[in-house]
Amino acid sequence: MKASKVRVALPGRSYDIVVGSGILSRAAKWVRGDRAIIITDSRLRRAAAELSASLRRAGWKTTVLPLQASEKLKNFERIYPLYGKLLEAGADRHSVIFAIGGGVIGDAVGFVAGTYLRGIRWVGVPTTLLAQVDSSIGGKTAVNHPKGKNLIGVFHQPSLVLCDVALLRTLSRRDVVSGLGEAIKYALAFDPAFYRFIQAQWERLCRLDPGTTTRLVRRCAAFKARIVSRDERDLSGIREVLNLGHTIGHALEKVTRYGSFRHGEAIILGLRVAVRISAIRGHLKAGEAARIDAFLASLPVPPIPSRLKSSTILAPIRFDKKVREGRVRFVLLERAGKTILDHGVSRADMVRALEGIRR
Ligand SMILES: NC(=O)c1ccc[n+]([C@@H]2O[C@H](COP(=O)([O-])OP(=O)(O)OC[C@H]3O[C@@H](n4cnc5c(N)ncnc54)[C@H](O)[C@@H]3O)[C@@H](O)[C@H]2O)c1
Ligand SMILES: [Zn+2]
């Protein structure tokens, strides 16, 4: 299958996201260098071996470092030994680090690439759908701190992102749905036709049909690339649109200590709440809200644990104390494909919407 490219345009550090099926072994075509350090999720050793062999055929020297990938890896102590391994492998400023894995590997290895020798080139090879449609693009790298997730990191754009949808074949069903949740977010935020595409192709997407999945990943990559090009460091508020579904989604992840939901599953629930609040606040017509909610409710996502009170779920949300009645900035919908930023959402609106999806 032909690979297609999406460009992330940034001054002096533009790069391509290459999307296709079975493209990993063609990596040398898109990146120049002579020494590669391939840091891989140990579940993807075979992919790492394939990449290593293909780079060697193109004249590169390669070292493969497998890692147990779980959220625990995003920790200073856990990643510290990697710097020693890079030194041992002779990695210098001209070397290229390849990161093969999901968002955890991308965030942690991207951070190492951004700090080793004050930053060397890296290539993202995202292997979860979530990472292909979202986390591998944009240069946000991070490790966690006991006080919170992703608190320590750097912006360090990759030199290339290779989205090979063939690598997704071994993903669990839950991880596929999680990635699709993030794709639905883009669709609802930016493009009604893409939203209809996801609904119509749902079964094919769940089966990871290569052509359909490639289309999905390419489309999401294009949305993310456009936003990142305009607001690389998340300062101007443009990137904020990507938080659709995330106010409640993040709160759900936090109160369940990241143990009950995959990220995209929490986002699907967060989208349901956002859709209902959009209707409550009069931005979105009740009929359209009901149709969107019916689709989201039909997706296989674990229920919110019944022991959690709605007030507990909303507790992590930082209400702006300067504003009357303590309100939050909420990304909501006017219709599928059009967002609106609302500062007037009250706690009562949130409780009502949240209770609504728990019935
Ligand atoms: N940098 C960003 O912009 C950004 C954006 C969103 C999320 N994130 C981060 O991404 C992380 C979540 O990423 P994730 O959902 O990809 O999780 P993950 O990296 O933990 O992967 C999920 C699971 O799938 C396994 N896996 C990975 N690829 C596989 C494959 N091809 N086949 C079989 N199993 C495979 C992993 O070993 C892991 O068990 C979080 O740490 C989050 O903070 C970062
Ligand atoms: Zn997200």
Side-chain angles (χ1 to χ4, degrees):
M1 186 192 287
K2 221 174 111 25
S4 55
K5 285 184 189 170
V6 173
R7 186 85 170 155
V8 184
L10 289 164
R13 50 191 182 286
S14 297
Y15 56 96
D16 286 325
I17 304 156
V18 186
V19 189
S21 182
I23 58 174
L24 183 62
S25 58
R26 287 190 265 153
K29 198 171 139 182
W30 297 295
V31 58
R32 297 270 163 263
D34 57 15
R35 183 183 295 278
I37 316 294
I38 301 169
I39 306 181
T40 183
D41 182 327
S42 51
R43 286 201 169 94
L44 286 131
R45 275 173 213 257
R46 276 191 25 213
E50 181 192 329
L51 173 65
S52 173
S54 72
L55 289 174
R56 280 173 181 264
R57 282 195 297 276
W60 293 60
K61 293 186 193 67
T62 62
T63 305
V64 176
L65 302 173
L67 290 177
Q68 292 283 347
S70 78
E71 193 64 34
K72 292 195 194 86
L73 180 70
K74 287 175 61 172
N75 167 292
F76 255 138
E77 278 99 79
R78 289 282 307 278
I79 62 162
Y80 188 67
L82 278 176
Y83 297 97
K85 288 186 177 156
L86 287 168
L87 289 166
E88 261 168 49
D92 64 19
R93 305 186 64 84
H94 304 287
S95 305
V96 182
I97 296 178
F98 287 73
I100 306 183
V104 160
I105 288 281
D107 278 13
V109 174
F111 179 75
V112 170
T115 46
Y116 180 74
L117 303 181
R118 300 193 184 87
I120 68 172
R121 286 192 295 156
W122 73 293
V123 172
V125 183
T127 65
T128 61
L129 189 55
L130 184 92
Q132 294 196 350
V133 301
D134 183 13
S135 68
S136 67
I137 307 160
K140 282 189 182 176
T141 75
V143 293
N144 302 329
H145 185 276
K147 284 206 182 302
K149 243 171 87 72
N150 299 330
L151 293 181
I152 298 158
V154 292
F155 281 92
H156 185 49
Q157 299 295 343
S159 301
L160 171 74
V161 178
L162 274 181
C163 295
D164 186 339
V165 300
L167 295 174
L168 304 176
R169 273 193 300 248
T170 46
L171 275 184
S172 69
R173 166 101 172 166
R174 283 188 71 179
D175 282 308
V176 174
V177 171
S178 173
L180 291 173
E182 203 75 64
I184 293 169
K185 173 199 77 179
Y186 289 109
L188 286 175
F190 302 119
D191 186 350
F194 184 49
Y195 179 64
R196 289 192 294 272
F197 165 82
I198 295 176
Q199 283 184 296
Q201 302 297 330
W202 183 260
E203 290 306 323
R204 277 214 174 91
L205 290 167
C206 284
R207 274 190 274 119
L208 295 168
D209 168 70
T212 318
T213 311
T214 300
R215 271 179 74 185
L216 176 104
V217 172
R218 195 198 308 131
R219 196 84 189 99
C220 294
F223 288 126
K224 178 99 187 237
R226 200 180 64 197
I227 296 280
V228 167
S229 297
R230 292 166 62 199
D231 185 17
E232 183 185 16
R233 293 190 171 241
D234 208 352
L235 291 173
S236 73
I238 293 170
R239 210 164 161 163
E240 202 170 30
V241 178
L242 298 174
N243 282 338
L244 179 65
H246 282 60
T247 308
I248 301 294
H250 279 150
L252 275 170
E253 289 184 281
K254 203 160 179 184
V255 296
T256 53
R257 302 213 174 86
Y258 301 91
S260 302
F261 302 105
R262 300 286 201 273
H263 176 66
E265 292 174 337
I267 296 316
I268 290 172
L269 295 169
L271 287 171
R272 290 191 63 196
V273 176
V275 163
R276 282 168 180 255
I277 297 176
S278 303
I280 291 170
R281 296 280 302 153
H283 303 302
L284 180 67
K285 291 205 185 86
E288 185 165 10
R291 277 192 299 278
I292 297 172
D293 190 51
F295 173 61
L296 297 174
S298 74
L299 308 180
V301 172
I304 298 173
S306 52
R307 66 184 154 76
L308 287 176
K309 290 208 209 89
S310 293
S311 58
T312 312
I313 296 169
L314 299 179
I317 296 173
R318 269 172 292 147
F319 286 83
D320 187 345
K321 295 206 183 60
K322 284 172 298 205
V323 183
R324 203 157 36 94
E325 290 177 51
R327 305 231 152 132
V328 245
R329 294 158 71 80
F330 229 108
V331 184
L332 297 176
L333 287 181
E334 283 186 344
R335 50 186 153 78
K338 179 130 182 29
T339 55
I340 179 168
L341 201 61
D342 187 344
H343 303 246
V345 179
S346 68
R347 195 181 283 268
D349 296 332
M350 287 186 224
V351 170
R352 193 173 141 203
L354 187 54
E355 299 281 327
I357 73 161
R358 302 184 75 180
R359 258 184 233 120

